[in-house]
Coordinates of all heavy atoms in Angstrom, one line a residue:
M1 N 12.3 -11.3 3.1 CA 11.0 -11.7 2.8 C 10.5 -10.9 1.6 O 10.7 -9.7 1.5 CB 10.1 -11.4 4.0 CG 8.7 -11.7 3.7 SD 7.5 -11.3 5.0 CE 8.3 -11.0 6.4
E2 N 9.9 -11.7 0.7 CA 9.3 -11.0 -0.5 C 7.8 -11.3 -0.5 O 7.4 -12.4 -0.3 CB 9.9 -11.6 -1.8 CG 11.3 -11.1 -2.0 CD 11.8 -11.5 -3.4 OE1 11.0 -11.4 -4.3 OE2 13.0 -11.8 -3.5
I3 N 7.0 -10.2 -0.6 CA 5.6 -10.4 -0.7 C 5.1 -9.6 -1.9 O 5.5 -8.4 -2.1 CB 4.9 -9.8 0.6 CG1 5.4 -10.5 1.8 CG2 3.4 -9.8 0.4 CD1 4.9 -9.9 3.1
H4 N 4.4 -10.3 -2.8 CA 4.0 -9.7 -4.0 C 2.5 -9.6 -4.1 O 1.8 -10.6 -3.8 CB 4.5 -10.5 -5.2 CG 6.0 -10.6 -5.3 ND1 6.8 -9.5 -5.7 CD2 6.8 -11.5 -4.9 CE1 8.0 -9.9 -5.6 NE2 8.1 -11.1 -5.1
S5 N 2.0 -8.5 -4.4 CA 0.5 -8.3 -4.5 C 0.2 -7.2 -5.6 O 0.9 -6.2 -5.6 CB -0.1 -7.9 -3.2 OG -1.4 -7.5 -3.3
D6 N -0.8 -7.4 -6.3 CA -1.2 -6.3 -7.3 C -2.2 -5.4 -6.6 O -2.4 -4.3 -7.1 CB -1.9 -7.0 -8.5 CG -1.0 -7.7 -9.3 OD1 0.2 -7.4 -9.3 OD2 -1.4 -8.6 -10.1
S7 N -2.7 -5.7 -5.4 CA -3.7 -4.9 -4.8 C -3.2 -4.1 -3.6 O -3.8 -3.1 -3.2 CB -4.8 -5.8 -4.2 OG -5.4 -6.5 -5.3
Y8 N -2.0 -4.4 -3.1 CA -1.4 -3.7 -2.0 C 0.0 -3.4 -2.2 O 0.7 -4.1 -2.9 CB -1.6 -4.5 -0.7 CG -3.0 -4.7 -0.3 CD1 -3.8 -5.8 -0.7 CD2 -3.6 -3.7 0.6 CE1 -5.1 -5.9 -0.4 CE2 -5.0 -3.9 0.9 CZ -5.7 -5.0 0.5 OH -7.0 -5.1 0.8
R9 N 0.5 -2.4 -1.5 CA 2.0 -2.1 -1.5 C 2.3 -1.7 0.0 O 1.4 -1.3 0.7 CB 2.4 -1.0 -2.4 CG 1.8 0.3 -2.1 CD 2.2 1.4 -3.1 NE 1.7 2.6 -2.6 CZ 2.0 3.8 -3.2 NH1 2.8 3.8 -4.2 NH2 1.4 4.9 -2.7
I10 N 3.6 -1.8 0.3 CA 4.0 -1.4 1.6 C 3.8 0.1 1.7 O 4.2 0.9 0.8 CB 5.5 -1.7 1.9 CG1 5.6 -3.2 1.9 CG2 6.0 -1.1 3.2 CD1 7.0 -3.7 2.1
A11 N 3.1 0.5 2.8 CA 2.7 1.9 3.0 C 4.0 2.8 3.3 O 4.7 2.4 4.3 CB 1.7 2.1 4.1
P12 N 4.2 3.9 2.6 CA 5.3 4.7 3.0 C 4.9 5.5 4.2 O 3.9 6.2 4.2 CB 5.5 5.6 1.8 CG 4.1 5.7 1.1 CD 3.5 4.3 1.4
L13 N 5.7 5.4 5.3 CA 5.3 6.1 6.5 C 6.3 7.2 6.9 O 6.4 7.6 8.1 CB 5.2 5.0 7.7 CG 4.1 4.0 7.4 CD1 4.1 3.0 8.6 CD2 2.8 4.6 7.3
S14 N 7.1 7.6 6.0 CA 8.0 8.7 6.3 C 7.2 9.9 6.8 O 6.2 10.2 6.3 CB 8.8 9.1 5.0 OG 9.5 8.0 4.5
Y15 N 7.8 10.6 7.8 CA 7.2 11.8 8.3 C 5.9 11.5 9.1 O 5.1 12.4 9.3 CB 7.0 12.9 7.3 CG 8.2 13.1 6.5 CD1 8.3 12.7 5.1 CD2 9.3 13.8 7.0 CE1 9.5 13.0 4.4 CE2 10.5 14.0 6.3 CZ 10.5 13.6 5.0 OH 11.7 13.8 4.2
Q16 N 5.7 10.3 9.5 CA 4.5 9.9 10.2 C 4.9 9.2 11.5 O 4.5 8.0 11.7 CB 3.5 9.1 9.4 CG 3.0 9.8 8.2 CD 2.0 9.0 7.4 OE1 1.1 8.4 7.9 NE2 2.2 9.0 6.1
E17 N 5.7 9.8 12.3 CA 6.3 9.2 13.5 C 5.2 8.7 14.4 O 5.4 7.6 15.1 CB 7.2 10.1 14.2 CG 8.6 10.1 13.6 CD 9.3 8.7 13.5 OE1 9.3 8.0 14.6 OE2 9.8 8.4 12.5
D18 N 4.1 9.3 14.5 CA 3.0 8.9 15.4 C 2.5 7.5 15.0 O 2.2 6.6 15.8 CB 1.9 9.9 15.5 CG 1.3 10.3 14.1 OD1 2.0 10.2 13.1 OD2 0.2 10.8 14.1
V19 N 2.3 7.3 13.7 CA 1.9 6.0 13.1 C 2.9 5.0 13.4 O 2.6 3.9 13.8 CB 1.6 6.1 11.6 CG1 1.2 4.8 11.0 CG2 0.5 7.2 11.4
V20 N 4.2 5.3 13.1 CA 5.3 4.3 13.4 C 5.3 3.9 14.8 O 5.5 2.8 15.2 CB 6.6 4.9 12.9 CG1 7.8 4.0 13.3 CG2 6.6 5.1 11.4
E21 N 5.1 4.9 15.7 CA 5.1 4.6 17.1 C 4.0 3.6 17.5 O 4.2 2.7 18.4 CB 5.1 5.9 18.0 CG 5.2 5.6 19.5 CD 6.4 4.9 19.9 OE1 7.5 5.0 19.2 OE2 6.4 4.1 20.9
V22 N 2.8 3.8 17.0 CA 1.7 2.9 17.3 C 2.0 1.5 16.8 O 1.8 0.5 17.5 CB 0.4 3.4 16.6 CG1 -0.7 2.4 16.6 CG2 -0.1 4.7 17.2
I23 N 2.7 1.4 15.6 CA 3.1 0.1 15.1 C 4.1 -0.6 16.1 O 4.0 -1.7 16.4 CB 3.6 0.2 13.7 CG1 2.4 0.5 12.8 CG2 4.2 -1.1 13.2 CD1 2.8 0.9 11.3
R24 N 5.1 0.2 16.5 CA 6.1 -0.3 17.4 C 5.5 -0.8 18.7 O 5.8 -1.8 19.3 CB 7.1 0.8 17.7 CG 8.1 1.0 16.6 CD 9.2 2.0 17.0 NE 10.0 2.3 15.8 CZ 10.4 3.5 15.5 NH1 10.0 4.6 16.1 NH2 11.1 3.7 14.4
Q25 N 4.5 0.0 19.3 CA 3.8 -0.4 20.5 C 3.0 -1.7 20.3 O 3.1 -2.6 21.2 CB 2.9 0.7 21.0 CG 3.6 1.9 21.5 CD 2.7 3.1 21.8 OE1 1.5 3.0 21.7 NE2 3.3 4.2 22.2
A26 N 2.4 -1.8 19.1 CA 1.6 -3.1 18.8 C 2.6 -4.2 18.7 O 2.3 -5.3 19.2 CB 0.8 -2.9 17.5
E27 N 3.8 -4.1 18.1 CA 4.7 -5.1 18.0 C 5.2 -5.6 19.4 O 5.3 -6.8 19.7 CB 6.0 -4.7 17.2 CG 5.7 -4.5 15.7 CD 6.9 -3.9 15.0 OE1 7.7 -3.2 15.6 OE2 7.0 -4.2 13.8
S28 N 5.4 -4.6 20.3 CA 5.9 -4.9 21.6 C 4.8 -5.7 22.4 O 5.1 -6.7 23.1 CB 6.2 -3.7 22.4 OG 7.4 -3.1 21.8
E29 N 3.6 -5.3 22.3 CA 2.5 -5.9 23.0 C 2.2 -7.3 22.4 O 2.0 -8.3 23.2 CB 1.2 -5.1 22.9 CG 0.1 -5.6 23.7 CD 0.3 -5.6 25.2 OE1 1.3 -4.9 25.7 OE2 -0.4 -6.3 25.9
I30 N 2.3 -7.5 21.1 CA 2.1 -8.9 20.5 C 3.3 -9.7 21.0 O 3.1 -10.9 21.3 CB 2.0 -8.8 19.0 CG1 0.7 -8.1 18.6 CG2 2.1 -10.2 18.4 CD1 0.6 -7.7 17.1
A31 N 4.5 -9.2 21.0 CA 5.7 -10.0 21.5 C 5.5 -10.4 22.9 O 5.7 -11.6 23.3 CB 6.9 -9.2 21.3
R32 N 5.0 -9.5 23.7 CA 4.8 -9.8 25.2 C 3.7 -10.9 25.3 O 3.9 -11.9 26.0 CB 4.3 -8.6 25.9 CG 4.2 -8.8 27.4 CD 3.5 -7.6 28.1 NE 2.1 -7.5 27.7 CZ 1.1 -8.2 28.1 NH1 1.3 -9.2 28.9 NH2 -0.1 -8.0 27.7
M33 N 2.6 -10.8 24.6 CA 1.5 -11.7 24.7 C 1.8 -13.1 24.2 O 1.3 -14.1 24.7 CB 0.3 -11.2 23.9 CG -0.3 -9.9 24.6 SD -1.6 -9.1 23.6 CE -2.9 -10.3 23.8
T34 N 2.6 -13.2 23.1 CA 3.0 -14.5 22.5 C 4.2 -15.1 23.0 O 4.5 -16.3 22.8 CB 3.1 -14.3 21.0 OG1 4.2 -13.5 20.7 CG2 1.8 -13.8 20.3
G35 N 5.1 -14.3 23.7 CA 6.4 -14.8 24.1 C 7.4 -14.8 23.0 O 8.5 -15.4 23.2
N36 N 7.0 -14.3 21.9 CA 7.9 -14.3 20.7 C 8.6 -12.9 20.6 O 7.9 -11.9 20.3 CB 7.2 -14.6 19.5 CG 8.0 -14.6 18.2 OD1 9.2 -14.3 18.3 ND2 7.5 -15.0 17.1
P37 N 9.9 -12.8 20.9 CA 10.5 -11.4 20.9 C 10.7 -10.9 19.4 O 11.0 -9.7 19.3 CB 11.8 -11.7 21.5 CG 12.1 -13.1 21.3 CD 10.8 -13.8 21.3
E38 N 10.5 -11.7 18.4 CA 10.7 -11.3 17.0 C 9.4 -11.1 16.3 O 9.0 -11.9 15.5 CB 11.6 -12.3 16.3 CG 13.0 -12.5 16.9 CD 13.8 -11.3 16.8 OE1 13.8 -10.6 15.8 OE2 14.6 -11.1 17.8
V39 N 8.7 -10.0 16.6 CA 7.5 -9.7 16.0 C 7.7 -8.4 15.1 O 8.2 -7.4 15.6 CB 6.3 -9.4 17.0 CG1 5.1 -8.9 16.3 CG2 6.1 -10.6 17.8
T40 N 7.3 -8.5 13.8 CA 7.4 -7.4 12.9 C 6.0 -7.2 12.2 O 5.5 -8.2 11.6 CB 8.5 -7.6 11.9 OG1 9.7 -7.8 12.5 CG2 8.6 -6.4 10.9
L41 N 5.5 -6.0 12.3 CA 4.2 -5.7 11.6 C 4.6 -4.9 10.4 O 5.5 -4.1 10.4 CB 3.3 -4.9 12.5 CG 2.8 -5.6 13.8 CD1 1.9 -4.7 14.6 CD2 2.1 -6.9 13.5
I42 N 3.9 -5.1 9.3 CA 4.1 -4.4 8.1 C 2.8 -3.7 7.7 O 1.8 -4.3 7.6 CB 4.5 -5.4 6.9 CG1 5.7 -6.2 7.4 CG2 4.7 -4.7 5.6 CD1 6.1 -7.4 6.4
A43 N 2.9 -2.4 7.4 CA 1.8 -1.6 7.0 C 1.6 -1.6 5.5 O 2.6 -1.3 4.8 CB 2.0 -0.2 7.5
Y44 N 0.5 -2.0 5.1 CA 0.2 -2.0 3.6 C -0.9 -1.0 3.3 O -1.7 -0.6 4.2 CB -0.4 -3.4 3.2 CG 0.7 -4.4 3.1 CD1 0.9 -5.3 4.1 CD2 1.4 -4.6 2.0 CE1 1.9 -6.3 4.1 CE2 2.4 -5.5 1.8 CZ 2.6 -6.4 2.9 OH 3.6 -7.4 2.8
E45 N -0.9 -0.5 2.1 CA -2.0 0.3 1.6 C -2.5 -0.2 0.3 O -1.8 -0.9 -0.4 CB -1.6 1.8 1.5 CG -0.5 2.0 0.4 CD 0.0 3.4 0.3 OE1 -0.4 4.2 1.2 OE2 0.7 3.7 -0.6
K46 N -3.8 0.0 0.1 CA -4.5 -0.5 -1.1 C -4.0 0.3 -2.3 O -3.7 1.5 -2.2 CB -6.0 -0.3 -1.0 CG -6.8 -1.0 -2.0 CD -7.3 -2.3 -1.5 CE -8.4 -2.8 -2.4 NZ -8.2 -4.2 -2.7
T47 N -3.8 -0.4 -3.4 CA -3.4 0.2 -4.7 C -4.5 0.1 -5.7 O -5.6 -0.4 -5.3 CB -2.1 -0.4 -5.3 OG1 -2.4 -1.7 -5.6 CG2 -1.0 -0.4 -4.3
D48 N -4.3 0.6 -6.8 CA -5.3 0.5 -7.9 C -5.4 -0.9 -8.5 O -6.2 -1.1 -9.4 CB -5.1 1.6 -8.9 CG -3.8 1.4 -9.7 OD1 -3.1 0.4 -9.5 OD2 -3.5 2.3 -10.5
G49 N -4.5 -1.8 -8.1 CA -4.6 -3.2 -8.5 C -3.6 -3.5 -9.7 O -3.6 -4.6 -10.2
H50 N -2.9 -2.5 -10.2 CA -2.0 -2.7 -11.3 C -0.5 -2.6 -10.8 O -0.2 -1.6 -10.2 CB -2.2 -1.6 -12.4 CG -3.6 -1.7 -12.9 ND1 -4.0 -2.7 -13.7 CD2 -4.6 -0.8 -12.8 CE1 -5.3 -2.5 -14.1 NE2 -5.6 -1.3 -13.5
R51 N 0.2 -3.6 -10.9 CA 1.6 -3.7 -10.5 C 2.4 -2.8 -11.4 O 2.3 -2.9 -12.6 CB 2.1 -5.1 -10.5 CG 3.6 -5.2 -10.0 CD 4.1 -6.6 -10.0 NE 3.4 -7.2 -8.9 CZ 3.5 -8.5 -8.7 NH1 4.2 -9.3 -9.4 NH2 2.8 -9.1 -7.7
S52 N 3.2 -1.9 -10.8 CA 4.1 -1.0 -11.6 C 5.3 -1.8 -12.0 O 5.8 -2.7 -11.3 CB 4.5 0.2 -10.9 OG 5.1 -0.1 -9.7
K53 N 5.9 -1.5 -13.2 CA 7.1 -2.3 -13.6 C 8.3 -1.4 -13.6 O 8.3 -0.3 -13.8 CB 6.8 -2.8 -15.1 CG 5.6 -3.6 -15.1 CD 5.7 -4.6 -16.2 CE 4.3 -5.4 -16.2 NZ 4.4 -6.7 -16.3

C-alpha cells in the first residue's frame, strides 16, 4: 500500500513499545468488533507540509 501526503508521515515508533502495544490492542478489538481478522492501524504524525525528496 502506498499513501502519499505532504502533511503527514508514518510515525517512527521505535523504542516506544507501550505505544505499539496500545495500537496492537486497538487492532485486536476492532477485528473482534467487525469480524475482520485483518485489521492494521497506521500511526501518522504531522509534518511541516513539505515532502522530502
